[in-house]
Amino acid sequence: MRDALAPLRHREFRLPFGGHVVSFAGSAMAPIALAFGVLELGGSAGDLGLVLTLSILPQVFFLLAGGVIADRLPRHIVMVASNYVSGLAQAKSAARAITCHGASSRTSCSRACPPGTRWVRSC
């Protein structure tokens, strides 16, 4: 066990490893949060499937565009910039979900955010 943790003693390994763990955890939780949001708004299993399927389309587009960009720029800059943009996008989605700005109307927002169930209520 001690040998397995030996690389963590080195700062040059610890920083990228910690960043990767945080990035992976956030990316893994995003579809789960999206599923809870769709179901909380009264969506069906079919609606959830459609939303999760449509959430993959930007990933496919940016994967192709990112390959072109990665061929032309230094690898470190591309990795840092992509993690930064991903974090901003997920933070924006989380903020919209918490504050009910993702609801389509005031009525659906009231239904999605009954009193006492949200931390922030801006509807």
Side-chain angles (χ1 to χ4, degrees), residues 79-101:
M79 290 175 61
V80 170
S82 65
N83 281 332
Y84 182 71
V85 170
S86 175
L88 286 176
Q90 290 179 7
K92 181 180 176 185
S93 296
R96 288 179 62 86
I98 290 171
T99 60
C100 294
H101 287 309

Side-chain angles (χ1 to χ4, degrees), residues 21-42:
V21 167
V22 170
S23 176
F24 181 74
S27 296
M29 288 182 206
I32 296 168
L34 187 60
F36 277 112
V38 169
L39 295 175
E40 187 174 315
L41 287 172

Side-chain angles (χ1 to χ4, degrees), residues 29-121:
M29 288 182 206
I32 296 168
L34 187 60
F36 277 112
V38 169
L39 295 175
E40 187 174 315
L41 287 172
S44 66
D47 295 336
L48 177 58
L50 179 65
V51 168
L52 290 175
T53 300
L54 291 176
S55 71
I56 293 173
L57 293 179
Q59 292 177 3
V60 171
F61 171 75
F62 285 114
L63 179 71
L64 295 172
V68 172
I69 293 169
D71 286 342
R72 289 167 174 74
L73 295 175
R75 190 176 312 168
H76 176 74
I77 292 173
V78 172
M79 290 175 61
V80 170
S82 65
N83 281 332
Y84 182 71
V85 170
S86 175
L88 286 176
Q90 290 179 7
K92 181 180 176 185
S93 296
R96 288 179 62 86
I98 290 171
T99 60
C100 294
H101 287 309
S104 60
S105 70
R106 186 159 181 76
T107 305
S108 63
C109 186
S110 298
R111 185 171 27 112
C113 303
T117 60
R118 294 281 186 192
W119 298 293
V120 178
R121 184 154 181 187

